[in-house]
Structures are given as structure tokens and as C-alpha cells.
Amino acid sequence: MYELLFWKYQDGIYLNHHLVYEAIIEEQEVAGLEELPVTVILNRINTLFSHWEKVDDNSWKNNKGKGAFQIKTTPQSIQIDCYGTEGKIMNQLVDALAEFNCPLYDPQVPERYDEMSE
């Protein structure tokens, strides 16, 4: 499994990414994060992956190739767990969230890919 995490900081707020990640995993509210349009984001992903089998409300499986992913949400975050998913597919997910100004936090590295990261 490969995790992709997304959230958006409120203007002027910048927190320790790993601590934010840990709070999100525990489904805790984090002061300083924006509420996300979760339903709109899920609809966007559903549109992008309409050619994939939708296993349930939050899971997709590629019947014509490798990969599957599951999405977990809080009002402030989107977590996508990828299973055997190719890099180009993960990049499509990252690009979809970028449309909502939600940069990727990659806990495997760990690094957040936004304008404040170095």
C-alpha cells in the first residue's frame, strides 16, 4: 500500500506536516486546516476514474490493468490508499487534488509538495 494525503492550510498557517499527518490518521480535527469540499472532490475523482470499477462509495479497482485505491475522508483531509497502483495513476490523483489547492503529503518520504516545502 502507498498512502497519499492531502489537506489545505488556512492563510498564514503552516504546521509540522508529520504531526498534521498523525492527527489526520487518528481522524482528529486540526486547528489551522481548511474544511474541504469533500463531496465535490470525490465527484471529481469519480469522474476521472469512471472507467474503473467502483467497488463501493470510496473504493475503485482497475479491471483492465493493475491497481486499486480507497479514499478515506475527514472534513479537513483526503487520504488515498493505493494498492498496486502505477505512478501515472497516482499522479492523476495528485493532479485532481491540486485542482482544489490541496498539495500532496507523502508520508513514505516524508515530504509535503507545496510552495512552502524546500
Side-chain angles (χ1 to χ4, degrees):
M1 178 188 67
Y2 202 95
E3 285 181 297
L4 307 173
L5 267 288
F6 304 88
W7 65 81
K8 183 177 178 181
Y9 289 119
Q10 294 173 350
D11 287 340
I13 302 292
Y14 200 68
L15 305 172
N16 178 300
H17 306 315
H18 189 73
L19 295 178
V20 171
Y21 163 74
E22 288 179 346
I24 287 170
I25 294 301
E26 296 296 321
E27 297 182 6
Q28 298 172 356
E29 186 173 327
V30 179
L33 298 187
E34 294 278 351
E35 290 221 353
L36 300 178
V38 172
T39 302
V40 175
I41 292 170
L42 290 175
N43 286 340
R44 177 68 178 131
I45 291 170
N46 197 40
T47 299
L48 286 172
F49 290 91
S50 61
H51 58 288
W52 284 39
E53 177 185 348
K54 192 163 182 189
V55 179
D56 59 35
D57 284 345
N58 299 309
S59 302
W60 289 258
K61 179 171 88 171
N62 186 356
N63 284 332
K64 296 181 180 161
K66 297 188 320 184
F69 62 89
Q70 180 179 36
I71 299 178
K72 300 173 188 168
T73 64
T74 71
Q76 298 177 314
S77 68
I78 304 288
Q79 175 184 345
I80 306 176
D81 295 336
C82 299
Y83 302 92
T85 307
E86 295 178 349
K88 68 178 184 174
I89 299 300
M90 287 192 275
N91 287 340
Q92 284 182 286
L93 292 163
V94 170
D95 291 345
L97 272 291
E99 294 173 19
F100 298 92
N101 298 313
C102 293
L104 169 66
Y105 175 73
D106 183 339
Q108 288 83 196
V109 177
E111 188 169 339
R112 181 167 160 94
Y113 297 92
D114 64 4
E115 66 279 355
M116 298 297 289
S117 293
E118 308 222 354

